[in-house]
Amino acid sequence: MTSSTLLFSPVETDLQLLTDNLKQLVGARHPILYAAAEHLFSVHGKRVRPAIVLLISRTTMPNQEITPKHRRLAEITEMIHTASLVHDDVVDESELRRGSPTVHSLFNNRIAVLAGDFLFAQSSWYLANLDNLEVVKLLSKVIMDLAEGEIQQGLNRFDTGMSINAYLEKSYYKTASLVANSSKAAGLLSGVSAELAEDLYSYGQNLGLAFQIVDDILDFTGSTETLGKPAASDLKSGNLTAPTLYTLEETPYLETLIEREFAQEGDLEQAITLIKESSAIERSRELAAYHAKLAVEHISKFPDCDSRKALIELSDYVLSRLY
Amino acid sequence: MTSSTLLFSPVETDLQLLTDNLKQLVGARHPILYAAAEHLFSVHGKRVRPAIVLLISRTTMPNQEITPKHRRLAEITEMIHTASLVHDDVVDESELRRGSPTVHSLFNNRIAVLAGDFLFAQSSWYLANLDNLEVVKLLSKVIMDLAEGEIQQGLNRFDTGMSINAYLEKSYYKTASLVANSSKAAGLLSGVSAELAEDLYSYGQNLGLAFQIVDDILDFTGSTETLGKPAASDLKSGNLTAPTLYTLEETPYLETLIEREFAQEGDLEQAITLIKESSAIERSRELAAYHAKLAVEHISKFPDCDSRKALIELSDYVLSRLY
């Protein structure tokens, strides 16, 4: 398995700078948040979202240095993502994320709500100071979509009537909106045409969807160690994803297990077996591959360079996580 | 005691429309938030902040109807305020606000965090769509300041070394920033000069400070029934306000009680007696009156009309709450 870190080599220095800035920003001013900041920006160390923003910035500024605004956009992207993770963990009462204790379990709800609010507030403020109304609108929409996604996920728990389209919509809100809108925003800061800006949006949207679908497959096929949380924890909490929805089409009995919310001994284990034995994992993989391929088509319209290469490899990498 | 509702008669119809819109906005789309929205926008029914925005809008558009953007700004102001209240109640673990159960005690932390995030997100989105970068910056600053205020309040608990200036700064973050920046923003939407925009800012800033100081006095002089929460609950939780800080200047023994966090039987009652028997309540009242007077000076620069009259009366009303 390729490490995502290697893929990001064209922007490795940029990412180091970004991590230092983020820790500084949140931690230095507020001792109360210092520990939370250290924890947040070290643990969630993959920095996929700002890496995409930086790679797109470099792809769309082929012969020039990227600007401070591009860097600030990458920081904003990571701040919004982190803020939403911290609040999601309070809402979902999660104890672990990627194998590390969550902020609200390590500190408490009080610090977690404050830290999330502070990050959202700081990102709104930085956003306004990019002095670009279109970019402000794109990223404000992301903040709306994240709230919408979290609410929809709450509403649709254990809803076996959910369609694959509703699942994709939820995944868009939760994951793809941020990647799509920040990719487009990076292009706008570089001054690309409206048409190319849409290609960047579509790249981010499809990559984000592929990423979420693969995550949802790994929830079934991964081990507790690689996931950093118990397997099938989405299913257990009633968050139905592609593998479950496809299985429901071919194995109606799964509906019974889900609708009684796995109340009887062995229900959850039986559901997991049904899903793994069906063709649902393969169909989900095909769905992810379809979106990854679309992502590549859109980014291929840009001139070749190291950063564009990395963006293309990233969509292969997303799928490679399954093997 | 004059009712604040009477003061708002020039914008009564506007406020009714605003309340309906806000309930609709939050409740209609999300059954999960419907009950919370009904609860929030009915209970916190004083709508002082949007009333100020609407009165300033009418004062600065003397011979014309106010625009949909003015109305939207008033809604944004109330949404930001409500979002911060909901999260404050989670952070402070408050059970009551104005005599009614808080969202997190009536529903749970999950709904309270979601509802607050949704309101902040929606306000960012509406804000961006006002299509005015300067207004976006002013209101983003407010969101920052609210987060900053909540953090500072946490940091300064039981800090008997806090100065009156630090108290005023905290009060600015918590209360006055929203009134100051939204007042200025209303003027900018009406196209007032940069100089008059600063007068609107100063009106809101001073009125907001007067309002907070009076609230802090009432925490000692009001009854549980009028406050809707136990008296001296700020002091008990270590949130030191003007009456406490002034008393510390003349009665050093209060320091001992506060620094041991009222650990011994009767400590809190003794502290309350010391504060009420000192000149601190009167000095705090004078501080509030000073800021109320400054507010009037700044708004008096605008042409006379019913709405301006209401804005002036509002600063008298703030002080009248003490009698």
Side-chain angles (χ1 to χ4, degrees), chain A residues 184-230:
Chain A
K184 181 176 173 181
L188 292 178
L189 292 178
S190 304
V192 302
S193 70
E195 197 192 321
L196 285 177
E198 285 316 308
D199 282 312
L200 293 172
Y201 178 92
S202 299
Y203 170 77
Q205 180 186 29
N206 284 293
L207 186 72
L209 289 175
F211 206 91
Q212 184 60 52
I213 298 164
V214 167
D215 249 10
D216 293 339
I217 297 171
L218 287 171
D219 190 49
F220 290 100
T221 61
S223 62
T224 305
E225 303 84 70
T226 56
L227 294 176
K229 61 179 182 180

Side-chain angles (χ1 to χ4, degrees), chain A:
Chain A
M1 190 172 114
T2 329
S3 157
S4 62
T5 318
L6 270 174
L7 279 176
F8 299 155
S9 58
V11 291
E12 205 182 290
T13 323
D14 302 329
L15 282 173
Q16 191 49 54
L17 193 64
L18 173 131
T19 305
D20 295 344
N21 279 348
L22 286 175
K23 281 189 197 176
Q24 183 72 19
L25 178 80
V26 182
R29 282 177 58 201
H30 292 296
I32 205 175
L33 297 183
Y34 182 78
E38 275 290 317
H39 177 71
L40 280 169
F41 295 114
S42 303
V43 173
H44 306 294
K46 289 170 74 182
R47 301 163 303 179
V48 177
R49 289 158 187 81
I52 294 171
V53 169
L54 291 162
L55 288 168
I56 286 184
S57 303
R58 295 204 170 276
T59 300
T60 51
M61 301 279 279
N63 300 310
Q64 293 165 65
E65 189 43 70
I66 60 171
T67 69
K69 287 193 180 184
H70 287 105
R71 292 181 191 281
R72 191 39 67 87
L73 177 65
E75 289 168 13
I76 291 169
T77 305
E78 187 69 351
M79 282 161 63
I80 292 176
H81 171 61
T82 307
S84 87
L85 288 186
V86 175
H87 281 185
D88 284 1
D89 287 338
V90 177
V91 169
D92 299 341
E93 297 173 344
S94 314
E95 299 298 319
L96 288 177
R97 180 174 289 273
R98 299 221 185 106
S100 292
T102 56
V103 173
H104 90 100
S105 71
L106 203 61
F107 305 94
N108 54 40
N109 271 341
R110 194 184 128 72
I111 298 289
V113 172
L114 278 180
D117 283 353
F118 181 80
L119 286 168
F120 273 129
Q122 188 90 43
S123 54
S124 290
W125 171 239
Y126 276 1
L127 195 52
N129 285 282
L130 287 179
D131 279 315
N132 184 318
L133 256 180
E134 202 171 350
V135 172
V136 173
K137 285 185 195 177
L138 292 175
L139 274 289
S140 304
K141 190 61 174 41
V142 169
I143 297 176
M144 271 281 280
D145 287 346
L146 287 168
E148 182 77 33
E150 190 64 26
I151 291 170
Q152 283 203 5
Q153 186 157 310
L155 287 175
N156 296 329
R157 258 172 231 283
F158 299 106
D159 176 6
T160 54
M162 193 167 79
S163 66
I164 282 283
N165 272 345
Y167 159 75
L168 288 173
E169 187 183 84
K170 182 178 70 177
S171 305
Y172 174 79
Y173 287 136
K174 271 175 60 182
T175 308
S177 169
L178 177 61
V179 190
N181 285 295
S182 62
S183 295
K184 181 176 173 181
L188 292 178
L189 292 178
S190 304
V192 302
S193 70
E195 197 192 321
L196 285 177
E198 285 316 308
D199 282 312
L200 293 172
Y201 178 92
S202 299
Y203 170 77
Q205 180 186 29
N206 284 293
L207 186 72
L209 289 175
F211 206 91
Q212 184 60 52
I213 298 164
V214 167
D215 249 10
D216 293 339
I217 297 171
L218 287 171
D219 190 49
F220 290 100
T221 61
S223 62
T224 305
E225 303 84 70
T226 56
L227 294 176
K229 61 179 182 180
S233 53
D234 281 333
L235 181 61
K236 194 178 169 192
S237 69
N239 177 22
L240 309 189
T241 60
T244 305
L245 298 175
Y246 282 133
T247 309
L248 279 165
E249 289 176 10
E250 47 188 85
T251 315
Y253 178 61
L254 179 57
E255 203 174 309
T256 313
L257 300 173
I258 295 173
E259 283 180 354
R260 69 184 180 219
E261 302 188 7
F262 313 116
Q264 297 184 17
E265 176 97 23
D267 273 0
L268 184 66
E269 294 68 21
Q270 199 182 352
I272 296 170
T273 308
L274 289 175
I275 291 165
K276 286 187 166 175
E277 284 177 352
S278 75
S279 66
I281 301 290
E282 179 52 23
R283 288 174 73 191
S284 302
R285 205 201 58 76
E286 281 164 14
L287 185 67
Y290 167 76
H291 286 289
K293 188 165 166 290
L294 279 180
V296 172
E297 283 173 20
H298 285 284
I299 202 66
S300 300
K301 301 196 183 164
F302 291 82
D304 191 22
C305 67
D306 282 354
S307 292
R308 192 195 76 157
K309 212 166 276 145
L311 290 167
I312 292 174
E313 281 168 13
L314 189 56
S315 61
D316 293 333
Y317 164 72
V318 168
L319 297 175
S320 77
R321 290 165 68 221
L322 293 173
Y323 302 104

Side-chain angles (χ1 to χ4, degrees), chain B residues 12-33:
Chain B
E12 207 183 290
T13 322
D14 301 331
L15 282 172
Q16 191 48 54
L17 192 65
L18 171 132
T19 306
D20 294 345
N21 278 349
L22 286 174
K23 282 190 196 175
Q24 183 71 20
L25 178 80
V26 182
R29 280 177 59 202
H30 292 298
I32 204 173
L33 298 182

Side-chain angles (χ1 to χ4, degrees), chain B residues 28-42:
Chain B
R29 280 177 59 202
H30 292 298
I32 204 173
L33 298 182
Y34 183 78
E38 276 289 317
H39 177 71
L40 280 169
F41 296 114
S42 304

